[in-house]
Amino acid sequence: MMDKLLSDFSINVTEMFRDPLFFLAFRQKIVPELRRLPFIRIWHAGCSTGQEVFSMAILLHEEGLLPKTRLYGTDINEKVLQKAKKGIFPIQKMQQYTKNYMRAGGKRAFSEYYNVINGSVQFKPFLMDNMVFAQHNLVTDRSFNEFHVIICRNVMIYFNETLQNHVHKLFYESLCANGFLGLGDKEGVVFTTHANCYEEVFGTEKLYRKLP
Protein backbone atom coordinates (compact mmCIF):
# COMPACT_ATOMS: atom_id res chain seq x y z
CA MET A 1 0.00 0.00 0.00
CA MET A 2 2.79 2.42 0.93
CA ASP A 3 4.65 1.62 -2.30
CA LYS A 4 1.55 2.50 -4.30
CA LEU A 5 1.17 5.79 -2.41
CA LEU A 6 4.77 6.71 -3.11
CA SER A 7 4.33 5.85 -6.75
CA ASP A 8 1.16 7.92 -6.99
CA PHE A 9 2.54 11.00 -5.26
CA SER A 10 6.05 11.19 -6.71
CA ILE A 11 6.33 13.25 -9.88
CA ASN A 12 8.16 11.42 -12.68
CA VAL A 13 8.68 13.82 -15.57
CA THR A 14 11.99 13.41 -17.36
CA GLU A 15 13.63 12.89 -20.74
CA MET A 16 17.06 12.54 -22.29
CA PHE A 17 18.95 15.84 -22.35
CA ARG A 18 15.92 17.60 -20.90
CA ASP A 19 16.31 21.37 -21.45
CA PRO A 20 19.23 20.89 -23.86
CA LEU A 21 20.79 24.30 -23.18
CA PHE A 22 21.40 23.23 -19.59
CA PHE A 23 23.54 20.34 -20.82
CA LEU A 24 25.26 22.58 -23.37
CA ALA A 25 26.12 25.05 -20.60
CA PHE A 26 27.36 22.17 -18.44
CA ARG A 27 29.56 20.97 -21.27
CA GLN A 28 31.00 24.44 -21.86
CA LYS A 29 31.29 25.79 -18.32
CA ILE A 30 31.56 22.87 -15.89
CA VAL A 31 33.43 20.20 -17.85
CA PRO A 32 36.65 22.28 -18.09
CA GLU A 33 36.64 22.54 -14.28
CA LEU A 34 36.01 18.82 -13.84
CA ARG A 35 38.99 17.94 -16.03
CA ARG A 36 41.28 19.08 -13.21
CA LEU A 37 39.94 16.50 -10.77
CA PRO A 38 41.46 13.02 -10.32
CA PHE A 39 38.01 11.54 -9.64
CA ILE A 40 34.48 12.94 -10.03
CA ARG A 41 31.30 12.21 -8.07
CA ILE A 42 27.97 13.46 -9.46
CA TRP A 43 24.63 13.11 -7.69
CA HIS A 44 21.37 13.28 -9.66
CA ALA A 45 18.77 13.77 -6.92
CA GLY A 46 15.18 12.94 -7.86
CA CYS A 47 16.39 11.11 -10.96
CA SER A 48 13.07 9.37 -11.76
CA THR A 49 13.64 6.72 -14.47
CA GLY A 50 17.19 7.88 -15.05
CA GLN A 51 17.15 9.56 -18.45
CA GLU A 52 19.16 12.55 -17.24
CA VAL A 53 21.73 10.27 -15.60
CA PHE A 54 22.23 8.49 -18.92
CA SER A 55 22.41 11.87 -20.64
CA MET A 56 25.22 12.92 -18.32
CA ALA A 57 27.03 9.64 -18.91
CA ILE A 58 26.93 10.25 -22.67
CA LEU A 59 28.15 13.83 -22.26
CA LEU A 60 31.01 12.77 -19.99
CA HIS A 61 31.94 9.92 -22.35
CA GLU A 62 32.26 12.38 -25.22
CA GLU A 63 34.44 14.62 -23.05
CA GLY A 64 36.65 11.73 -21.96
CA LEU A 65 35.64 11.98 -18.31
CA LEU A 66 33.32 9.00 -17.85
CA PRO A 67 35.99 6.48 -16.74
CA LYS A 68 36.91 8.65 -13.74
CA THR A 69 33.32 9.56 -12.79
CA ARG A 70 30.85 7.87 -10.48
CA LEU A 71 27.24 8.82 -11.20
CA TYR A 72 24.69 8.44 -8.41
CA GLY A 73 20.97 8.53 -9.25
CA THR A 74 18.50 8.64 -6.37
CA ASP A 75 14.75 8.87 -6.05
CA ILE A 76 12.11 8.21 -3.41
CA ASN A 77 10.24 5.89 -5.78
CA GLU A 78 11.72 2.38 -5.96
CA LYS A 79 9.65 1.47 -9.04
CA VAL A 80 11.16 4.18 -11.22
CA LEU A 81 14.63 3.25 -9.97
CA GLN A 82 14.14 -0.32 -11.17
CA LYS A 83 13.42 1.08 -14.65
CA ALA A 84 16.50 3.29 -14.46
CA LYS A 85 18.73 0.34 -13.61
CA LYS A 86 17.67 -1.45 -16.80
CA GLY A 87 18.43 1.47 -19.11
CA ILE A 88 15.47 0.56 -21.34
CA PHE A 89 13.28 3.34 -22.74
CA PRO A 90 10.47 3.67 -25.32
CA ILE A 91 11.66 3.81 -28.90
CA GLN A 92 8.94 6.39 -29.64
CA LYS A 93 10.90 8.92 -27.58
CA MET A 94 14.12 8.61 -29.56
CA GLN A 95 13.30 11.23 -32.18
CA GLN A 96 12.81 13.89 -29.50
CA TYR A 97 15.77 12.64 -27.52
CA THR A 98 17.97 12.87 -30.61
CA LYS A 99 16.93 16.49 -31.16
CA ASN A 100 17.70 17.27 -27.53
CA TYR A 101 21.08 15.57 -27.79
CA MET A 102 22.10 17.58 -30.83
CA ARG A 103 21.00 20.87 -29.23
CA ALA A 104 23.01 19.91 -26.14
CA GLY A 105 26.20 19.83 -28.20
CA GLY A 106 26.22 16.12 -29.03
CA LYS A 107 29.30 15.06 -30.99
CA ARG A 108 28.23 11.74 -32.49
CA ALA A 109 25.15 9.96 -33.82
CA PHE A 110 22.83 9.49 -30.84
CA SER A 111 21.86 6.03 -32.13
CA GLU A 112 25.42 4.83 -31.41
CA TYR A 113 24.57 4.75 -27.72
CA TYR A 114 21.71 2.25 -27.77
CA ASN A 115 20.43 -0.95 -29.33
CA VAL A 116 16.84 -1.55 -30.46
CA ILE A 117 15.30 -4.57 -28.71
CA ASN A 118 11.67 -5.64 -29.11
CA GLY A 119 10.33 -2.19 -29.83
CA SER A 120 12.34 -0.51 -27.07
CA VAL A 121 15.87 0.83 -26.84
CA GLN A 122 18.48 -0.32 -24.37
CA PHE A 123 21.44 1.91 -23.72
CA LYS A 124 24.82 0.28 -24.04
CA PRO A 125 26.32 -1.31 -20.91
CA PHE A 126 29.47 0.82 -20.83
CA LEU A 127 27.32 3.84 -19.94
CA MET A 128 26.13 2.04 -16.80
CA ASP A 129 29.51 0.81 -15.58
CA ASN A 130 29.95 3.77 -13.24
CA MET A 131 26.29 4.31 -12.29
CA VAL A 132 24.70 3.65 -8.91
CA PHE A 133 20.93 3.93 -8.41
CA ALA A 134 19.50 3.95 -4.89
CA GLN A 135 16.41 4.99 -2.98
CA HIS A 136 16.80 8.28 -1.10
CA ASN A 137 14.31 10.69 0.46
CA LEU A 138 15.47 14.31 0.21
CA VAL A 139 13.27 15.30 3.13
CA THR A 140 14.21 12.65 5.68
CA ASP A 141 17.54 11.11 4.61
CA ARG A 142 21.03 12.47 5.15
CA SER A 143 23.84 12.84 2.66
CA PHE A 144 25.68 9.67 1.72
CA ASN A 145 28.86 11.11 0.18
CA GLU A 146 30.70 14.28 -0.79
CA PHE A 147 30.01 15.36 -4.36
CA HIS A 148 31.66 17.56 -6.96
CA VAL A 149 28.33 18.10 -8.73
CA ILE A 150 24.74 17.84 -7.53
CA ILE A 151 21.90 18.07 -10.05
CA CYS A 152 18.31 18.35 -8.87
CA ARG A 153 16.11 19.78 -11.58
CA ASN A 154 12.41 20.61 -11.24
CA VAL A 155 11.99 18.59 -8.06
CA MET A 156 11.84 21.34 -5.45
CA ILE A 157 9.12 23.25 -7.30
CA TYR A 158 6.75 20.80 -5.61
CA PHE A 159 8.12 21.62 -2.12
CA ASN A 160 7.06 24.42 0.19
CA GLU A 161 9.60 27.02 1.33
CA THR A 162 10.55 25.14 4.49
CA LEU A 163 11.27 21.91 2.62
CA GLN A 164 13.16 23.75 -0.10
CA ASN A 165 15.48 25.31 2.49
CA HIS A 166 15.92 21.92 4.15
CA VAL A 167 17.00 20.36 0.85
CA HIS A 168 19.30 23.29 0.03
CA LYS A 169 21.03 22.73 3.38
CA LEU A 170 21.46 19.06 2.50
CA PHE A 171 22.93 19.91 -0.89
CA TYR A 172 25.26 22.58 0.48
CA GLU A 173 26.63 20.20 3.10
CA SER A 174 26.98 17.45 0.49
CA LEU A 175 28.99 19.52 -1.99
CA CYS A 176 32.75 19.60 -1.76
CA ALA A 177 34.59 22.92 -1.75
CA ASN A 178 33.92 24.77 -5.03
CA GLY A 179 31.40 22.09 -6.06
CA PHE A 180 28.64 22.76 -8.57
CA LEU A 181 24.86 22.78 -8.18
CA GLY A 182 22.46 22.47 -11.11
CA LEU A 183 18.77 23.31 -10.69
CA GLY A 184 15.69 23.39 -12.89
CA ASP A 185 14.62 26.32 -15.02
CA LYS A 186 11.93 27.39 -12.52
CA GLU A 187 14.24 27.05 -9.52
CA GLY A 188 17.14 28.98 -8.05
CA VAL A 189 19.03 29.85 -4.88
CA VAL A 190 18.19 33.56 -4.71
CA PHE A 191 15.28 33.35 -2.28
CA THR A 192 16.63 30.51 -0.16
CA THR A 193 18.57 30.47 3.09
CA HIS A 194 21.68 29.60 1.06
CA ALA A 195 21.46 32.50 -1.40
CA ASN A 196 24.87 33.86 -0.33
CA CYS A 197 26.58 30.48 -0.44
CA TYR A 198 26.91 30.27 -4.22
CA GLU A 199 28.08 32.23 -7.22
CA GLU A 200 26.42 31.99 -10.62
CA VAL A 201 28.30 30.02 -13.24
CA PHE A 202 25.55 30.26 -15.86
CA GLY A 203 22.54 32.08 -14.46
CA THR A 204 20.00 31.42 -17.19
CA GLU A 205 20.65 27.68 -16.96
CA LYS A 206 20.70 27.67 -13.13
CA LEU A 207 24.26 26.45 -12.66
CA TYR A 208 25.97 27.58 -9.47
CA ARG A 209 29.30 27.12 -7.71
CA LYS A 210 29.65 26.70 -3.97
CA LEU A 211 31.64 29.53 -2.42
CA PRO A 212 34.52 28.60 -0.14
Side-chain angles (χ1 to χ4, degrees):
M1 184 68 174
M2 183 57 69
D3 289 342
K4 187 177 189 304
L5 284 172
L6 285 172
S7 179
D8 290 343
F9 282 104
S10 59
I11 309 299
N12 302 303
V13 179
T14 187
E15 62 183 35
M16 298 288 296
F17 293 95
R18 183 182 184 188
D19 302 322
L21 296 183
F22 172 88
F23 284 92
L24 181 61
F26 189 96
R27 193 188 291 263
Q28 294 174 343
K29 299 291 185 179
I30 309 302
V31 164
E33 301 294 327
L34 297 181
R35 291 192 191 283
R36 304 173 184 176
L37 301 173
F39 188 76
I40 305 163
R41 289 182 296 274
I42 299 178
W43 178 17
H44 286 261
C47 71
S48 186
T49 47
Q51 280 92 327
E52 292 189 53
V53 185
F54 280 88
S55 301
M56 184 61 69
I58 290 171
L59 186 157
L60 294 171
H61 168 70
E62 293 183 349
E63 298 298 332
L65 297 179
L66 187 58
K68 68 171 184 175
T69 302
R70 180 61 58 89
L71 291 160
Y72 297 85
T74 66
D75 201 278
I76 192 176
N77 188 328
E78 181 63 31
K79 288 185 178 179
V80 299
L81 289 172
Q82 291 304 317
K83 293 180 180 180
K85 291 175 182 178
K86 295 176 181 177
I88 298 175
F89 304 113
I91 194 170
Q92 295 87 349
K93 301 285 187 179
M94 289 306 113
Q95 186 174 6
Q96 181 61 50
Y97 290 177
T98 301
K99 291 178 181 178
N100 289 352
Y101 165 74
M102 297 306 297
R103 291 186 63 206
K107 298 181 177 182
R108 304 172 68 172
F110 187 57
S111 58
E112 292 181 23
Y113 294 110
Y114 61 81
N115 296 312
V116 178
I117 302 174
N118 297 326
S120 297
V121 302
Q122 183 166 32
F123 280 84
K124 294 190 173 178
F126 80 89
L127 293 172
M128 295 183 273
D129 286 344
N130 293 343
M131 285 184 192
V132 176
F133 289 102
Q135 194 170 25
H136 183 275
N137 187 327
L138 291 172
V139 176
T140 61
D141 295 340
R142 297 182 178 182
S143 178
F144 54 94
N145 212 323
E146 185 178 59
F147 300 95
H148 302 98
V149 180
I150 296 176
I151 295 175
C152 183
R153 305 178 64 234
N154 302 314
V155 174
M156 286 187 282
I157 56 175
Y158 303 102
F159 294 176
N160 62 30
E161 182 179 348
T162 300
L163 290 181
Q164 287 180 17
N165 286 325
H166 173 83
V167 175
H168 274 290
K169 181 175 184 292
L170 171 67
F171 288 163
Y172 182 78
E173 293 174 349
S174 302
L175 277 172
C176 64
N178 299 308
F180 298 96
L181 176 67
L183 301 176
D185 58 354
K186 297 179 177 64
E187 299 164 332
V189 300
V190 176
F191 298 109
T192 73
T193 51
H194 288 72
N196 297 322
C197 298
Y198 296 92
E199 62 179 353
E200 285 189 354
V201 176
F202 205 113
T204 56
E205 298 306 324
K206 306 300 175 69
L207 283 166
Y208 306 91
R209 186 171 200 163
K210 179 179 178 178
L211 291 171

